Every structure is written in structure tokens, then in C-alpha cells.
Amino acid sequence: MAEFKTRDGSPYTPLYLTDINAETCIGCGRCFKVCPQGVMALYGVNDEGEILGIVTDDDEDDFDGDLNRKIMKVEHAGACIGCNACARVCPKNCQTHVPADDLAA
């Protein structure tokens, strides 16, 4: 079991983001904005629920009219530091976080 501590020596267990439920995510971007590590990316989804690709701020592309909604996806899971900031701002509680000890190295 790994032992993590805060600066004052208090025990701390990082909770790493491993998944975002595409069915419940509303693509609001709150988690993306608070993530200090760039772990997530915003994706476009069509009417059938198929992922169309990454949506960027400077790209007004609606994927040739196929864009129905947007969702967040875990893009760089290995960059997650387990701060859990994303979970604190998610209005839909659609994220899965796993304690550091439960993840394979």
C-alpha cells in the first residue's frame, strides 16, 4: 500500500479519474476548466451516440451538421494527480475516481 501525505503530514489518498459516463455527461466543461493537468477533452457526439472527434474553442466546426451534443472524455489518464477537483464541480456526478492503491502501476 502506497502512503501519501499532505504538506503538513496528514494522510492523503489520491483519487484518480479513470472514466466519464458518456450517457450522463452534459459537456458543460466545468471539469475541464478546473483540471490543472489537462486530463480531459471535449468531444462531439452525433444523434446515434457516436463520437465524432475533439471539439476545440477556436473550431466552430459542427462536424458537417452531425453534432448533436458534447461530452467530456478522459484523454490523458496518466496525467491525473488525483486532486479530485473535477468531481467537486461536476453537476452530474458522472465521473469514476479510483483510489491510488486500487490502480495497477
Side-chain angles (χ1 to χ4, degrees):
M1 179 166 108
E3 186 174 323
F4 298 90
K5 295 192 183 291
T6 61
R7 284 179 54 191
D8 68 2
S10 301
Y12 169 71
T13 301
L15 298 173
Y16 296 116
L17 177 65
T18 58
D19 190 41
I20 299 174
N21 184 324
E23 297 298 316
T24 55
C25 177
I26 59 172
C28 66
R30 292 177 187 166
C31 56
F32 179 80
K33 290 176 185 172
V34 300
C35 180
Q37 298 300 110
V39 173
M40 296 154 275
L42 187 64
Y43 280 79
V45 179
N46 68 13
D47 289 332
E48 290 79 37
E50 297 169 329
I51 304 293
L52 300 172
I54 293 179
V55 177
T56 60
D57 286 340
D58 57 345
D59 183 17
E60 294 299 321
D61 183 14
D62 69 352
F63 297 97
D64 296 325
D66 288 337
L67 182 65
N68 180 40
R69 67 187 189 103
K70 299 173 185 176
I71 61 167
M72 282 294 162
K73 288 184 54 130
V74 177
E75 185 74 7
H76 306 285
C80 182
I81 59 173
C83 68
N84 222 15
C86 55
R88 289 191 297 274
V89 299
C90 181
K92 292 301 201 173
N93 194 26
C94 60
Q95 302 168 355
T96 301
H97 291 82
V98 177
D101 290 339
D102 293 349
L103 288 177

